[in-house]
Amino acid sequence: MAVFWAGVGRASTRRWLAGAVRSELARLRGLVGGELAEEVLVQRLERRLGIQAGRPVVELEGWLLKRGLPQKPGCWSHLCDDGVRIDTGDGCASCDSLMGDRRALRASVASAVAAEAPELPLQDRRREVERRMHERVQVRAAVEGERRERAARQEALAARRAELAAAERERVTAPCEECGIPEAAGLCPVCASGRRTRDLLQQAVDVIVAVRADLDDPAGTGELAEQVSEDTRRLLEDAVARSVDTRAEGVLAYTRVQIAEQILARRRASALVRLAAGEEAETEADRAYDAALRRRHRYPTRSLALRAAEEAAERAGEAAARTLLRERLARLQDGRSARLPGSAGWERRCAELARRPLPGDRPAAAGSEALAEGLVSAA
C-alpha cells in the first residue's frame, strides 16, 4: 500500500486525495452512521474496480474523483448507489419500481402507437415507440434533474446555515483577547471600552499635534506627541475622578469612553476654528465672498446680497478648515508610518499575506479489496 501511495506523485496530491476520501466518508456518515460509512465506501470502491474488468487504473486521481468516490444513484433514493442500497447492501427496491414503471410506460406507449397508426409496419411502429419513449424519458430526466438540483441547493443551504451557526457559537464562546474572561465573544465590554477609549485619545492627540506641530520636523513632532499624549491621559483621569465615585470597572470604562469622546469633539472644534482663522482658509473665504458679490444682482437688496456673501465666505472657510485638518492628519500618519521599523507598502504586505497558508489547508487506487480499504484507511 505504501508503494502504491508513493506512486501517486507529490505528497500534496496524496493529501488532496485523502481529503476527498474524508469528505465522502463524512457525507456517508450522515446517511448511514459512522459504523457503516467506511464499509460502504470500501464496497463501492471494490464494485467500481470490478467494473474495470481487470484493466489497471492508469490515472488514480481522475479515476478516484470521477468514478471511484462519487455516489451514483440509479433512482430517486438518496440511499441508492449503482442500484444497491448503501444501508443494507441489498438491491434497491426503488430501482426495481422504476424499472417496472418504465416497462409500464413502454407498454402504454406501444398501445397508443398501435391504436393511432395500426397500418404502420412493425419496424416503423417500433421506431415510433422508441421516439416517444425517448421524449418521455427526457422529460422525466429533466424533472428529476431539477428535483435533485433543488434538493442539493437545500442541502447546501442547510450545511451553510449549520456552518454559520457553529461559527457564531464559536465567536460567542471565545474568551476575551485582552483579559481572557471566558465566553466574551472575543472582547468583553470592559476591554472593548478600553480599546475604544485608547482610540479616541489617540485621535484627540493627533488633532492637537497635526495643528500645532511642524510636520516637516519628525523629532519635534514626536516630542510634542508624547507631551500631548501624557497631558491627555492626565486630563481624562482627572475628569473621570470628578465624574464618578465608584471603582466598578464597568462604570469606569463607560465613563472613560464618554469623556474621551467629549475631549475629541472639543479639540476637533478648536482645531477647526484655529485653521479657519489661518491664511489658507481666509483666502478661500475671500474668494467665496467675492464670487457671491458678483451674483448680487440676484438679490432684491444690497443688504441681502452682503449677508449671502458673508454666509458663503463662512461656509467656504469651514470647508477649507476641514480639508486642511484632514490633510495634516494624513501627513502626520504618513510620517509616523515611515518611522515605524519594518513598515512596508501595500504591495509587499499583500505578497506576504498571499504566501500564508489558508486556515483550511491540511497536510490522500488497480487493485482489489486491499486497495479500497487502503484508500479509506489512508484517509
Side-chain angles (χ1 to χ4, degrees):
M1 196 65 232
V3 175
F4 174 78
W5 277 110
V8 170
R10 297 181 299 177
S12 59
T13 303
R14 293 196 292 271
R15 290 195 297 268
W16 174 47
L17 292 178
V21 176
R22 282 194 297 269
S23 298
E24 182 61 18
L25 280 174
R27 194 186 69 84
L28 288 174
R29 290 190 188 102
L31 294 175
V32 298
E35 297 180 357
L36 290 177
E38 292 189 8
E39 181 181 352
V40 167
L41 187 53
V42 168
Q43 292 174 356
R44 177 187 300 170
L45 294 172
E46 289 177 1
R47 190 165 57 248
R48 304 284 167 77
L49 286 170
I51 297 175
Q52 294 289 117
R55 297 190 306 274
V57 177
V58 178
E59 185 184 357
L60 172 66
E61 296 89 339
W63 181 89
L64 188 62
L65 296 175
K66 296 294 182 64
R67 296 186 180 182
L69 285 178
Q71 181 177 344
K72 298 177 181 178
C75 64
W76 52 266
S77 176
H78 63 282
L79 294 175
C80 177
D81 187 18
D82 296 329
V84 178
R85 285 184 63 90
I86 61 177
D87 55 344
T88 64
D90 299 330
C92 179
S94 300
C95 286
D96 295 340
S97 176
L98 184 60
M99 186 67 70
D101 291 344
R102 287 176 180 171
R103 292 194 185 100
L105 177 61
R106 180 176 290 275
S108 174
V109 171
S111 298
V113 172
E116 293 173 8
E119 72 285 352
L120 279 178
L122 181 59
Q123 289 299 114
D124 293 343
R125 188 180 302 175
R126 286 177 178 175
R127 280 195 293 269
E128 180 62 17
V129 170
E130 292 300 328
R131 186 188 67 79
R132 295 191 184 187
M133 279 292 298
H134 179 72
E135 291 179 352
R136 299 282 187 90
V137 170
Q138 288 296 102
V139 171
R140 287 192 176 186
V143 173
E144 178 64 16
E146 183 179 354
R147 186 196 66 80
R148 287 185 178 178
E149 288 182 4
R150 184 167 56 251
R153 288 195 298 268
Q154 292 174 351
E155 182 179 351
L157 181 59
R160 181 58 179 163
R161 286 174 176 170
E163 290 177 3
L164 293 176
E168 179 63 16
R169 288 194 298 270
E170 183 177 357
R171 185 193 68 81
V172 171
T173 57
C176 178
E177 298 176 358
E178 296 190 6
C179 68
I181 187 173
E183 298 186 358
L187 200 65
C188 70
V190 173
C191 293
S193 297
R195 185 175 295 184
R196 173 64 175 162
T197 299
R198 292 191 294 272
D199 181 63
L200 291 169
L201 290 184
Q202 184 61 55
Q203 293 182 52
V205 171
D206 288 349
V207 167
I208 295 296
V209 175
V211 173
R212 295 183 180 178
D214 180 4
L215 300 180
D216 295 325
D217 179 12
T221 300
E223 293 177 1
L224 178 61
E226 291 179 4
Q227 182 61 47
V228 174
S229 178
E230 181 63 28
D231 294 343
T232 304
R233 284 194 295 269
R234 189 181 304 111
L235 175 64
L236 173 70
E237 294 304 326
D238 292 344
V240 170
R242 291 193 301 270
S243 300
V244 295
D245 55 359
T246 179
R247 304 307 299 171
E249 289 188 5
V251 176
L252 290 174
Y254 176 79
T255 303
R256 287 191 180 95
V257 171
Q258 301 302 309
I259 294 177
E261 289 177 347
Q262 296 172 11
I263 292 174
L264 175 59
R266 288 197 299 268
R267 288 188 176 180
R268 179 176 287 276
S270 176
L272 291 174
V273 170
R274 178 170 179 157
L275 290 173
E279 182 179 352
E280 296 180 58
E282 288 287 350
T283 300
E284 292 297 324
D286 291 343
R287 289 175 181 171
Y289 185 86
D290 294 339
L293 282 184
R294 287 194 294 270
R295 298 189 297 271
R296 60 181 178 273
H297 59 279
R298 299 181 180 180
Y299 299 92
T301 64
R302 177 177 176 78
S303 60
L304 289 177
L306 291 175
R307 183 184 304 173
E310 291 173 356
E311 292 176 352
E314 184 178 359
R315 290 194 300 270
E318 292 173 353
R322 289 193 295 270
T323 300
L324 288 171
L325 181 58
R326 285 196 300 270
E327 291 176 350
R328 294 183 69 84
L329 286 172
R331 286 182 58 193
L332 176 64
Q333 185 61 39
D334 290 343
R336 182 180 295 142
S337 300
R339 293 193 300 272
L340 289 176
S343 61
W346 274 112
E347 182 176 352
R348 178 180 172 186
R349 179 62 175 159
C350 290
E352 293 176 353
L353 291 174
R355 287 194 294 269
R356 293 184 180 180
L358 294 175
D361 286 351
R362 297 178 182 272
S368 60
E369 179 180 354
L371 168 60
E373 292 180 347
L375 286 171
V376 176
S377 60

